[in-house]
């Protein structure tokens, strides 16, 4: 499933909530990466700690982020061909 398909599925799953009730998946991803301003970070974190649906999204993104950092670097195939 592509990123676009996942984003569309996430939006469909949260359509029952009033607009702005849940942070966008991109905002939660920015929270995980530490890319939000402090006030935004606190607002998104506060919501995710109170919302089971968003907490699950946060946990998934944290696990993916940890896995990406723990994965060994890949080597280029052209290096092996030489």
């Amino acid at each position: 499933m592509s990123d676009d398909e996942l984003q569309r599925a996430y939006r469909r799953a949260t359509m029952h909530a009033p607009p702005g009730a849940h942070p966008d998946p991109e905002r939660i991803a920015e929270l995980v990466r530490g890319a939000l301003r402090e006030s935004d970070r606190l607002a998104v974190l506060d919501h995710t700690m109170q919302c089971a649906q968003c907490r699950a999204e946060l946990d998934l993104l944290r696990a993916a982020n940890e896995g990406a950092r723990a994965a060994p670097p890949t080597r280029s195939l052209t290096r092996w061909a030489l």
Side-chain angles (χ1 to χ4, degrees):
M1 188 175 267
S2 73
D3 287 345
D4 289 338
E5 291 170 319
L6 287 172
Q7 289 174 358
R8 282 193 297 274
Y10 180 86
R11 287 189 184 103
R12 276 193 309 272
T14 59
M15 283 178 65
H16 64 278
H22 297 281
D24 289 334
E26 293 83 13
R27 298 291 284 176
I28 298 174
E30 290 171 346
L31 172 68
V32 170
R33 290 192 311 267
L36 293 176
R37 293 179 307 168
E38 186 65 12
S39 60
D40 293 336
R41 183 186 74 82
L42 292 175
V44 174
L45 189 58
D46 183 53
H47 176 86
T48 57
M49 293 299 108
Q50 297 177 39
C51 175
Q53 183 177 349
C54 291
R55 177 62 190 250
E57 179 80 16
L58 176 64
D59 290 342
L60 177 66
L61 289 169
R62 278 183 172 165
N65 189 49
E66 288 295 319
R69 288 193 294 151
T74 58
R75 292 188 172 158
S76 171
L77 292 177
T78 53
R79 186 174 179 191
W80 288 101
L82 294 174

